[in-house]
Amino acid sequence: MPECSVDPFDPAFLESPDAGHAALRNAGPVVWLPAYGICAVARYAEVREVFTRWEDFSSARGVGMEDFDLHGRFRLPSLILETDPPEHNRARRVLTRVLSPAVVDTLRPHFVAVAEQLVDELLQRRTIDAVPDLAEAYPLRVFPDAIGMRPEGREMLLPHADALFNSFGPRNQLFAASQANARFDWVQEQGRRHNLSDDGLGARVHEEAAAAGYSGEDAGKLVRSLLQAGLDTTINGLSAAIYCLERFPDQWQKLRAEPKQARRAFEEAVRLESPVQTFFRTAAHDTEIGSLPVRAGDKVLMFLGAANRDPRAWSDPERYDLVRDNSAQLGFGSGIHSCVGRILSKLEADAILQTLAKRVKSIRSTAEPRRRLNNTIRGFASLPMELIPG
Ligand code: QZP
């Protein structure tokens, strides 16, 4: 197997991954990273293939770098993310029923009202930091309430998510510096029925889970999955959309002319920026990728971000383009584990980006964006902007 000497968890790589991604793609259909003793796939076709071949590439030994079978279970086990069929399917069915189009549609009027309120507040100020003031503020105003979470302690959700997403990578500086913020026991506690309102999505998970034969304790774990997976991801998708719309003014004009394109604007930003950059699988037995041998137990690192910009699959991949067909992108994963909450993230994106398109004439960067580095998530700490009403 060809080797590649890049370190995809080095701060310099995480800051600007494009050259490293190209090196990984060009080295071969699957490459060996000797620094970590793992396989990696960075081309579109092979990332999609590893997602699809779930019988060969298991999630149950952890979707991070550490092998649960060898190193123990570092994270509290998730019933959906780090399981294989049939266990996975059972959990997936519960969350699919809760996050159905009909249920999510009932949230829309409130989500739009909150978006309009927030955009009006931001237009009063004109100069904002689009990360804390918009991309974080909006989901924080709608998502925990939609789940039905208690108000106390919500400020821990983002630091916890940062620690969780760092934990999928190696035990590096980023991991070490964030782990004091991990709140696994607290998040788990928030998923318990008595900590949830009667009318939120969390209570619906408990209902559907009970109907599927889950214990109350396990139902709480499924709510915990929503709390861990639903906020940081959407926030970084929204930051990506603002960043792209600012950098591509012709696409902003297109969105202004057709605010209904807000979903596309979001999905195309998720393709181009890939807020979830990487995930692992573990080879369940000796197998092959692109006729190169992969041994049982090998970790396989999938580069979603590199696949989403692979020139083998996309024309002019670096261009943010609202009219391109990006429906096959891998930013929400692919196959049996593909994002079950994307319907909710798209509702949030649709509400806030449509409102921006209707009420804001232009968005202009006023200082250099600053990245926030994480072993899994590609996002921003700061996007200073000026908003002009109109
Ligand atoms: C995090 C869980 C991007 C996703 C892998 C995020 C994610 C999904 C599920 C869970 C956590 O089930 O806890």
Side-chain angles (χ1 to χ4, degrees):
M1 184 177 302
E3 287 192 3
C4 193
S5 63
V6 304
D7 176 354
F9 300 100
D10 182 79
F13 184 103
L14 296 171
E15 183 76 45
S16 335
D18 292 355
H21 284 165
L24 287 158
R25 285 190 304 256
N26 292 336
V30 53
V31 301
W32 182 251
L33 303 186
Y36 296 109
I38 58 174
C39 301
V41 288
R43 295 181 186 174
Y44 178 86
E46 281 75 21
V47 174
R48 194 184 178 89
E49 182 181 330
V50 171
F51 269 128
T52 304
R53 293 170 53 196
W54 57 266
E55 288 169 293
D56 300 326
F57 301 107
S58 167
S59 290
R61 286 163 75 166
V63 300
M65 184 176 280
E66 291 203 332
D67 186 339
F68 285 168
D69 283 4
L70 302 180
H71 306 112
R73 297 199 152 214
F74 169 80
R75 292 169 287 281
L76 284 174
S78 157
L79 297 181
I80 185 162
L81 176 69
E82 295 179 310
T83 56
D84 292 328
E87 192 185 353
H88 167 78
N89 302 354
R90 192 165 158 242
R92 172 94 186 186
R93 211 168 300 122
V94 169
L95 294 186
T96 306
R97 292 174 89 102
V98 173
L99 297 167
S100 73
V103 172
V104 171
D105 271 348
T106 65
L107 298 170
R108 174 177 295 276
H110 175 67
F111 277 41
V112 170
V114 175
E116 290 175 344
Q117 168 72 30
L118 177 61
V119 169
D120 283 351
E121 286 171 30
L122 298 179
L123 281 170
Q124 302 279 319
R125 295 174 42 193
R126 277 179 170 240
T127 49
I128 65 161
D129 187 328
V131 175
D133 300 336
L134 180 58
E136 292 179 357
Y138 181 65
L140 283 171
R141 285 189 194 187
V142 292
F143 181 78
D145 282 343
I147 301 291
M149 261 189 104
R150 296 166 61 90
E152 300 82 23
R154 290 179 180 188
E155 70 283 354
M156 293 195 275
L157 285 170
L158 292 186
H160 170 74
D162 181 59
L164 169 73
F165 284 108
N166 274 325
S167 82
F168 295 118
R171 299 299 173 250
N172 58 10
Q173 248 328 99
L174 283 168
F175 170 83
S178 65
Q179 288 315 294
N181 296 325
R183 293 283 182 278
F184 287 101
D185 294 331
W186 175 80
V187 178
Q188 167 106 31
E189 184 61 26
Q190 301 317 300
R192 294 168 63 107
R193 181 63 187 86
H194 68 269
N195 282 322
L196 295 161
S197 69
D198 291 339
D199 56 357
L201 298 174
R204 297 272 305 118
V205 171
H206 277 271
E207 272 171 45
E208 292 291 351
Y214 280 99
S215 67
E217 161 112 8
D218 281 351
K221 291 184 189 168
L222 292 172
V223 178
R224 186 190 78 211
S225 285
L226 297 185
L227 295 176
Q228 296 195 140
L231 205 49
D232 210 31
T233 47
T234 306
I235 286 169
N236 287 292
L238 290 178
S239 303
I242 306 289
Y243 172 70
C244 291
L245 288 164
E246 196 280 333
R247 279 175 60 231
F248 293 86
D250 58 326
Q251 300 303 298
W252 170 253
Q253 288 311 327
K254 193 165 272 173
L255 180 61
R256 285 272 293 165
E258 269 184 273
K260 290 252 145 49
Q261 297 300 316
R263 273 160 196 271
R264 297 189 71 84
F266 180 64
E267 284 168 29
E268 174 67 351
V270 171
R271 179 193 69 81
L272 190 58
E273 289 294 311
S274 300
V276 178
Q277 285 276 298
T278 46
F279 261 98
F280 293 83
R281 295 291 188 255
T282 311
H285 39 252
D286 288 343
T287 184
E288 292 185 347
I289 300 174
S291 71
L292 293 167
V294 174
R295 285 164 312 167
D298 279 350
K299 280 283 175 179
V300 181
L301 174 55
M302 301 178 290
F303 284 92
L304 282 53
N308 275 339
R309 289 177 177 225
D310 183 355
R312 296 161 188 80
W314 306 94
S315 67
D316 205 359
E318 315 286 323
R319 178 170 160 71
Y320 178 69
D321 179 358
L322 291 192
V323 300
R324 104 164 51 237
D325 177 5
N326 58 28
S327 54
Q329 64 139 317
L330 301 176
F332 293 93
S334 178
I336 63 168
H337 284 276
S338 75
C339 182
V340 72
R342 62 195 295 173
I343 185 169
L344 196 51
S345 79
K346 283 187 203 175
L347 171 61
E348 292 171 64
D350 192 33
I352 190 75
L353 296 178
Q354 265 207 60
T355 305
L356 284 170
K358 287 175 181 161
R359 300 189 180 189
V360 179
K361 182 155 75 190
S362 73
I363 50 176
R364 201 172 55 83
S365 166
T366 54
E368 277 301 296
R370 255 189 319 110
R371 291 274 171 191
R372 175 179 290 143
L373 302 189
N374 181 283
N375 282 331
T376 301
I377 299 282
R378 179 154 176 79
F380 294 94
S382 174
L383 289 170
M385 300 268 169
E386 183 181 26
L387 305 183
I388 311 289

